[in-house]
């Protein structure tokens, strides 16, 4: 068993945090001795309550956490009719670009489920929508609250502290870490550029020790480029108190990413990702596809800021997903999702619990190997 400041802080058996949007993945990581963390920004309050209740039934008292994306700067809307006011700010040029892209790839017009999800995600980025989600979060027995894309509001830190909940924040630069430490967070997550989703430009092996040196007694988790026990051991060697893994769960059976996208993951190399603003309006690492080629063509518009960009592209992605899952070859060319550079190591789909247990076991073996180098 690997004991660190993180395992002591959270009462978990292994210094492994598994971040995912799929409740089943979250539950399996916690059941395996790590800490599953659910991405909650795309849920309505009622949906979130149901999902957290289900997770608690599965983990039977084992700790778990949530991650809520609250960016510091977004386009503001009218709280009285938020989605309509935001959609009204999308330029016609961008609407016409998306319509033309879908026509060129012959993507069928179908009802939008993911478009609704993306609309919920975009709306939940507005400060007026955060409070109800926080009420749901703190009505459950979460062990950790993670804030992505910015410094958590002081009232959130105070609320978590009064509830005995650990507050974690993701950082991509030393200056980000300094601001988070001033806020009083309990854990820093040093997210290197290799990571999937919203990430910066500094590599994990450079960023992690920088953040560890700044953090003092505050535990630091390494994130980005970690999908094996050897990579987990390397993170601990850099001074991290544990690891925050996201992309690796996209190779699990429980993850809800469409199978057609998972097949593309299995065929990809570590060079097949890029940081792009074309999905959310902020730089996020994802699998490169024809979607990105279209945005890079001469005459294409610049992506919009968050949350306008997810509102613009949400229905398009639903149509692409539906068509690709039905065997539409051109839609499959466009298919993509957030993924880190570790995608090049994916060889098969496995149960999430098996992935978690092998990560920890292989890390322990690698630590023993390194200890054997001493004479």
């Amino acid at each position: 068993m690997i004991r660190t400041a993180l395992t002591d802080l959270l009462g978990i058996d292994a210094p492994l945090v598994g971040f995912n949007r799929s409740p089943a993945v979250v539950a399996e990581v916690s059941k395996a001795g790590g800490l599953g963390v659910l991405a909650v920004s795309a849920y309505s309050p009622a949906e979130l309550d149901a999902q957290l209740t289900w997770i608690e039934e599965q983990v039977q008292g084992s700790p778990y956490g949530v991650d809520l994306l609250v960016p510091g700067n977004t386009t503001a809307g009218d709280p009285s009719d938020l989605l309509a006011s935001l959609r009204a700010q999308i330029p016609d040029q961008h609407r016409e670009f998306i319509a033309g892209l879908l026509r060129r790839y012959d993507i069928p017009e179908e009802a939008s489920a993911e478009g609704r999800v993306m609309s919920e995600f975009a709306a939940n980025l507005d400060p007026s929508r955060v409070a109800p989600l926080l009420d749901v979060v703190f009505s459950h027995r979460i062990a950790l609250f993670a804030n992505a894309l910015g410094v958590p509001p002081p009232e959130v830190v105070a609320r978590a502290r009064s509830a005995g909940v650990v507050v974690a924040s993701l950082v991509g630069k030393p200056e980000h870490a300094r601001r988070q430490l001033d806020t009083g967070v309990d854990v820093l997550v040093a997210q290197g550029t290799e990571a999937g989703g919203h990430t910066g430009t500094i590599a994990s092996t450079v960023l992690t020790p920088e953040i560890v040196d700044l953090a003092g007694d505050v535990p630091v988790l390494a994130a980005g480029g970690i999908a094996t026990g050897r990579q987990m051991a390397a993170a601990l060697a850099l001074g991290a108190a544990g690891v925050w893994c996201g992309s690796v769960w996209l190779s699990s059976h429980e993850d809800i990413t469409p199978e057609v996208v998972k097949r593309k993951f299995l065929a990809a190399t570590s060079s097949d990702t890029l940081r792009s603003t074309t999905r959310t309006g902020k730089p996020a690492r994802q699998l490169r596809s024809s979607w990105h080629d279209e945005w890079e063509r001469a005459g294409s518009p610049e992506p919009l800021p968050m949350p306008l960009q997810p509102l613009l592209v949400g229905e398009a992605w639903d149509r692409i997903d539906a068509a690709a899952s039905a065997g539409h070859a051109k839609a499959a060319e466009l298919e993509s999702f957030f993924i880190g550079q570790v995608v090049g190591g994916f060889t098969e789909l496995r149960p999430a619990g098996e992935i978690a247990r092998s990560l920890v076991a292989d890390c322990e073996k690698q630590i023993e190997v390194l200890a054997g180098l001493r004479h």
Side-chain angles (χ1 to χ4, degrees):
M1 182 179 294
I2 305 170
R3 182 175 178 179
T4 71
L6 181 74
T7 60
D8 290 344
L9 180 64
L10 293 171
I12 54 179
D13 295 331
L16 170 66
V17 177
F19 166 76
N20 195 266
R21 61 178 177 154
S22 311
V25 171
V26 172
E28 289 302 312
V29 173
S30 287
K31 287 159 63 178
L35 185 84
V37 172
L38 182 68
V40 303
S41 292
Y43 290 113
S44 70
E47 291 168 338
L48 178 57
D49 183 58
Q51 297 295 354
L52 298 186
T53 298
W54 183 87
I55 290 172
E56 288 171 355
E57 292 171 351
Q58 301 303 308
V59 301
Q60 293 293 301
S62 295
Y64 75 99
V66 301
D67 178 286
L68 180 60
L69 194 155
V70 186
N73 296 299
T74 63
T75 301
D78 180 358
S80 66
D81 196 355
L82 184 59
L83 288 176
S85 68
L86 288 172
R87 289 194 178 102
Q89 300 178 57
I90 297 176
D92 289 340
Q93 177 192 15
H94 288 75
R95 299 181 192 275
E96 292 164 2
F97 171 78
I98 292 296
L101 187 159
L102 295 176
R103 284 195 301 270
R104 284 194 298 278
Y105 285 79
D106 193 28
I107 305 300
E109 293 188 16
E110 297 187 2
S112 175
E114 176 68 12
R116 186 203 62 77
V117 171
M118 290 299 285
S119 294
E120 194 73 41
F121 169 81
N124 284 347
L125 298 176
D126 190 89
S128 67
R129 296 287 289 267
V130 171
L133 290 174
L134 288 173
D135 288 342
V136 173
V137 164
F138 287 109
S139 73
H140 285 265
R141 50 177 180 77
I142 62 168
L144 178 141
F145 175 88
N147 189 74
L149 287 185
V151 176
E155 60 271 19
V156 173
V157 175
R159 187 173 186 178
R161 188 146 292 145
S162 66
V165 174
V166 171
V167 179
S169 281
L170 282 69
V171 300
K173 294 180 179 180
E175 50 264 44
H176 296 166
R178 292 187 184 97
R179 290 199 294 270
Q180 301 285 10
L181 291 169
D182 289 342
T183 304
V185 300
D186 304 297
V187 175
L188 291 175
V189 182
Q191 182 168 277
T193 191
E194 306 97 322
H198 297 110
T199 190
T201 60
I202 304 175
S204 294
T205 54
V206 174
L207 181 65
T208 301
E210 284 187 335
I211 303 304
V212 168
D213 290 344
L214 279 172
D217 294 332
V218 174
V220 174
L221 306 184
I226 302 168
T228 69
R230 287 181 295 172
Q231 290 162 337
M232 183 176 177
L236 296 176
L238 291 171
V243 295
W244 174 289
C245 299
S247 295
V248 67
W249 315 112
L250 298 174
S251 66
S252 72
H253 293 301
E254 292 87 348
D255 176 78
I256 61 174
T257 301
E259 290 298 314
V260 63
V261 180
K262 290 185 179 182
R263 289 196 294 272
K264 293 187 78 169
F265 288 162
L266 294 177
T269 72
S270 55
S271 299
D272 292 331
T273 70
L274 81 167
R275 291 172 70 248
S276 170
T277 59
T278 60
R279 193 138 184 167
T280 71
K282 288 186 179 291
R285 187 171 297 282
Q286 52 209 270
L287 189 71
R288 186 179 186 101
S289 74
S290 297
W291 168 268
H292 304 97
D293 297 338
E294 291 293 331
W295 281 92
E296 293 172 2
R297 286 173 50 172
S300 298
E302 289 295 316
L304 298 169
M306 182 181 281
L308 300 184
Q309 187 69 11
L311 275 178
L312 169 69
V313 305
E315 184 176 348
W317 274 111
D318 175 52
R319 290 169 58 184
I320 292 166
D321 287 343
S325 295
H328 192 295
K330 297 292 285 183
E333 292 179 16
L334 291 168
E335 270 290 24
S336 174
F337 194 64
F338 307 107
I339 190 75
Q341 292 178 330
V342 297
V343 69
F346 290 3
T347 58
E348 62 179 341
L349 300 182
R350 295 186 291 160
E354 177 184 315
I355 293 173
R357 288 186 291 272
S358 65
L359 265 167
V360 176
D362 291 345
C363 176
E364 291 174 338
K365 290 178 183 177
Q366 190 62 32
I367 290 173
E368 292 176 359
V369 169
L370 294 174
L373 298 177
R374 297 186 63 184
H375 295 286

